[in-house]
Amino acid sequence: MNEVLLPRSEYGDFDYESFQRRVQALTGLRLADYKPDQMRRRIAAMSSAADCGSFVEYYLAMERDPVLLAQFLDNVTISVTELLRDPAHFDGLRTCVLPSLIEQAGDRPLTVWSAGCSYGAEAYTLAMLLHELSPNASHRVEATDLNLGSLRRAEGARFYDKDIANISQERRARFFHDSGSGFTSPSEQLRRMVTFRRHDLLSDPYPQECYDLILCRNVLIYFTDAAKQRTFRGFYKALRPGGALFVGTAERVPDRYEMTYELIRPFIYRKPFRS
Ligand SMILES: C[S@@+](CC[C@H](N)C(=O)[O-])C[C@H]1O[C@@H](n2cnc3c(N)ncnc32)[C@H](O)[C@@H]1O
């Protein structure tokens, strides 16, 4: 039976469940896979800002107004990022993990996946580190996100002061170009290494054993446990044997999962050569 949606001035459980189902049917976004408490609070705030008094009212308004819907999709995921986010952990990656991945690959360039890349800072960080380690190799960084607005911004490759605070003057001079108009862009060398495309970690397929390294940082914290487990399984499939997975500082691959990721550095896991 078709559910009847009536505007109500509340943000209750029933309204939120109905809102989740409707949004998924309309846009494909699987809100039910995100931790409900924070997501609900954020959506209630967006709804109030759009002068709506309930989840239902907000949904009906988005259904009528494509601009409101586009704004919702743009704001619902959190896009905070910066170049070299958590410098100490990237340093561990550069000194201890990337050299062994490069050696493992032999003559073949590395293929890296920045999953949940936001507007591209992580992907360009990776390109910079790989270029420093092997300037003549044609390593590739594939960067994906759910949010088309962030991907468009990533293609534009503009970084502002707050994005670039962790990059030393030496690296800025070597890898970034100051536009003179308040933003900085990565060099052509780095831009050639990076590609961007849309991929939803919760509903799109994962390829088979094609990445040497996957970065998925500060994305899974928003997912429910069941959604995290599915995602870690997807990454396991997508990694080559011996490949590495780098997660954010608030994230872990729990031991209870049946996949045999080995912890090789803080926040960096390896898929064994034989599993
Ligand atoms: C906080 S940003 C993290 C950016 C970057 N990884 C970093 O650590 O700086 C989280 C990103 O995850 C993306 N995201 C959220 N849900 C996603 C999903 N289901 N599939 C792909 N990306 C998703 C958001 O659009 C956002 O750009």
Side-chain angles (χ1 to χ4, degrees):
M1 197 171 70
N2 270 349
E3 192 179 347
V4 180
L5 283 178
L6 295 173
R8 302 201 326 213
S9 59
E10 60 178 72
Y11 289 102
D13 289 351
F14 174 79
D15 294 305
Y16 187 56
E17 280 160 27
S18 165
F19 181 85
Q20 286 178 333
R21 282 196 300 278
R22 295 280 165 160
V23 167
Q24 185 169 341
L26 189 67
T27 68
L29 178 66
R30 296 173 60 107
L31 283 178
D33 283 334
Y34 292 82
K35 284 183 185 156
D37 289 351
Q38 1 176 302
M39 193 49 108
R40 238 169 98 151
R41 269 198 306 276
R42 301 191 60 233
I43 296 173
M46 285 188 249
S47 164
S48 300
D51 280 335
C52 299
S54 68
F55 290 122
V56 171
E57 210 180 312
Y58 188 36
Y59 173 78
L60 293 170
M62 288 196 294
E63 210 179 30
R64 286 191 301 270
D65 180 353
V67 175
L68 192 63
L69 178 64
Q71 278 167 358
F72 165 76
L73 289 174
D74 230 29
N75 292 332
V76 75
T77 55
I78 293 165
S79 60
V80 177
T81 191
E82 65 182 321
L83 289 145
L84 207 63
R85 187 174 189 176
D86 307 315
H89 299 307
F90 270 102
D91 210 43
L93 183 79
R94 187 179 67 87
T95 51
C96 303
V97 179
L98 290 178
S100 60
L101 291 177
I102 290 170
E103 193 184 320
Q104 242 165 254
D107 293 339
R108 176 178 63 75
L110 298 188
T111 307
V112 177
W113 181 12
S114 165
C117 65
S118 185
Y119 53 92
E122 184 175 276
Y124 288 114
T125 300
L126 240 297
M128 178 181 79
L129 301 182
L130 288 169
H131 192 81
E132 281 178 347
L133 288 170
S134 44
N136 298 322
S138 39
H139 302 304
R140 287 187 304 127
V141 181
E142 293 178 15
T144 64
D145 202 281
L146 168 77
N147 183 328
L148 288 173
S150 292
L151 290 170
R152 269 194 297 276
R153 188 170 162 199
E155 296 277 5
R158 291 181 173 197
F159 295 105
Y160 295 86
D161 285 350
K162 69 172 180 48
D163 299 317
I164 200 159
N166 291 335
I167 303 291
S168 66
Q169 288 304 332
E170 194 192 341
R171 279 176 164 160
R172 285 187 201 198
R174 183 166 173 207
F175 293 112
F176 293 87
H177 164 72
D178 186 345
S179 67
S181 315
F183 65 87
T184 300
S185 292
S187 67
E188 266 312 304
Q189 269 166 343
L190 300 195
R191 292 188 69 163
R192 272 199 297 272
M193 295 170 71
V194 180
T195 54
F196 293 98
R197 74 184 157 81
R198 188 178 186 280
H199 178 275
D200 183 346
L201 292 165
L202 296 168
S203 55
D204 287 326
Y206 287 72
Q208 182 82 37
E209 297 193 350
C210 64
Y211 295 109
D212 299 284
L213 170 66
I214 298 175
L215 285 85
C216 187
R217 310 187 67 241
N218 309 300
V219 180
L220 300 175
I221 29 169
Y222 305 109
F223 290 6
T224 62
D225 281 349
K228 273 184 210 170
Q229 185 165 3
R230 284 202 328 265
T231 311
F232 284 129
R233 201 176 290 131
F235 290 151
Y236 200 84
K237 175 181 173 199
L239 278 173
R240 290 172 178 273
L245 171 67
F246 184 17
V247 298
T249 51
E251 293 150 343
R252 309 268 178 290
V253 183
D255 292 340
R256 64 180 182 279
Y257 292 172
E258 76 281 12
M259 296 150 269
T260 50
Y261 281 112
E262 299 163 357
L263 184 66
I264 49 171
R265 300 256 329 155
F267 313 108
I268 307 180
Y269 296 81
R270 179 169 47 208
K271 173 176 171 174
F273 284 95
R274 283 183 202 289
S275 48

